[in-house]
Amino acid sequence: MPPDTLAFAAPVVLVAYVVFGMTGFGAAMVAVPLLVQFMPLQFAVPLVVLFDLACTALVGGSNWRRVSLAELKRLFPWLLLGIGLGVTLLHNAGARWPLILLGSFVLAVCIKGLRGGRAKPSAPMNTLWALPFGVFGGIFSALFGTGGPIYTIYLSRRLDALDQFRATISVVILASGIIRAAAFGAAGLYAQPEILSAAAVLLPVALIGLYGGSRLRIRVSPELLKRAIFVLLAIAGAGAIYRGWVSPA
């Protein structure tokens, strides 16, 4: 990878994984819309998946005995289908509409987050919703690395116990990353020149960001942190829409 591209990518990866260290999510939603400003989507997404795997494995392995196996069994078949569809689209699609869709999704998440969520309903979500949430979560995970919010919506409406929810979403995100990495490898995306060397150079940056974010988490007020992250995401989402708009169809 050219030095000037690495020079742009390193601070993006650092900030993205500071966010991950502070919140436990959101790295891909920060990194991918910014990285696609100077590298192809088909390069940026597989690259970030490698960082997600390392960082999620480091922080997401606690309390896995609380995982809801019943919810995993409902969600995973549809998640696999979605990842298969997403990898196919990522490998074959042009740049314009995937980037515009990514930016629009990120902006929608920002608007919802800044407005604040409604009180959690007392009735759990019907299990039939595992199909659309699993499929669309898998598609967004494969296309953009941003399926976490979709899985979170479903599981938060199915699991009342916070520790069970956290353990289950950690396993879903980690397993999704492993599956995506395998699918990207099968599709030849990791055969791209420079992607593994770029990952080797930037992984220490991601780990430094993870460590820094973990330390900052107890020093920043939750409300300030929330607003700063959503502003950063909004900038990244708008940048992705712009990049898609000026890209060839």
Side-chain angles (χ1 to χ4, degrees):
M1 182 178 289
D4 56 340
T5 303
L6 279 175
F8 279 111
V12 170
V13 171
L14 180 68
V15 171
Y17 286 90
V18 167
V19 171
F20 185 95
M22 297 177 79
T23 65
F25 71 96
M29 292 185 69
V30 174
V32 173
L34 293 173
L35 290 176
V36 295
Q37 304 304 314
F38 44 87
M39 64 178 66
L41 183 68
Q42 290 85 351
F43 191 98
V45 173
L47 182 67
V48 171
V49 165
L50 296 177
F51 306 149
D52 273 353
L53 279 176
C55 293
T56 305
L58 284 175
V59 302
S62 61
N63 207 25
W64 280 7
R65 289 175 296 178
R66 299 288 296 170
V67 169
S68 171
L69 295 178
E71 293 302 335
L72 291 183
K73 290 176 182 177
R74 291 189 187 101
L75 200 59
F76 259 78
W78 310 117
L79 181 152
L80 289 171
L81 174 61
I83 288 176
L85 294 172
V87 170
T88 301
L89 290 171
L90 181 66
H91 193 253
N92 298 308
R96 171 173 290 179
W97 294 112
L99 287 172
I100 291 174
L101 181 61
L102 168 62
S104 301
F105 174 69
V106 171
L107 287 178
V109 170
C110 292
I111 292 169
K112 184 179 185 301
L114 290 171
R115 288 177 60 188
R118 298 178 179 177
K120 186 176 178 180
S122 57
M125 181 177 284
N126 191 293
T127 56
L128 293 176
W129 283 100
L131 191 161
F133 278 97
V135 170
F136 282 102
I139 290 173
F140 271 78
S141 290
L143 270 178
F144 313 123
T146 58
I150 299 175
Y151 306 136
T152 298
I153 292 169
Y154 172 77
L155 290 172
S156 67
R157 294 283 304 276
R158 290 290 308 164
L159 302 173
D160 289 327
L162 183 58
D163 57 349
Q164 187 180 39
F165 163 75
R166 285 176 174 169
T168 305
I169 192 67
S170 294
V171 170
V172 168
I173 292 174
L174 178 59
S176 171
I178 294 171
I179 295 165
R180 281 180 289 148
F184 291 154
L189 293 176
Y190 286 121
Q192 298 177 83
E194 302 174 344
I195 191 167
L196 295 181
S197 60
V201 172
L202 292 172
L203 179 59
V205 177
L207 295 177
I208 291 169
L210 175 68
Y211 175 77
S214 300
R215 297 294 297 271
L216 283 172
R217 182 172 52 195
I218 59 175
R219 301 183 182 183
V220 180
S221 73
E223 186 61 28
L224 177 60
L225 173 62
K226 171 185 170 182
R227 292 191 174 276
I229 289 172
F230 281 127
V231 169
L232 180 62
L233 287 173
I235 294 170
I241 292 174
Y242 172 76
R243 176 65 185 270
W245 192 258
V246 301
S247 296

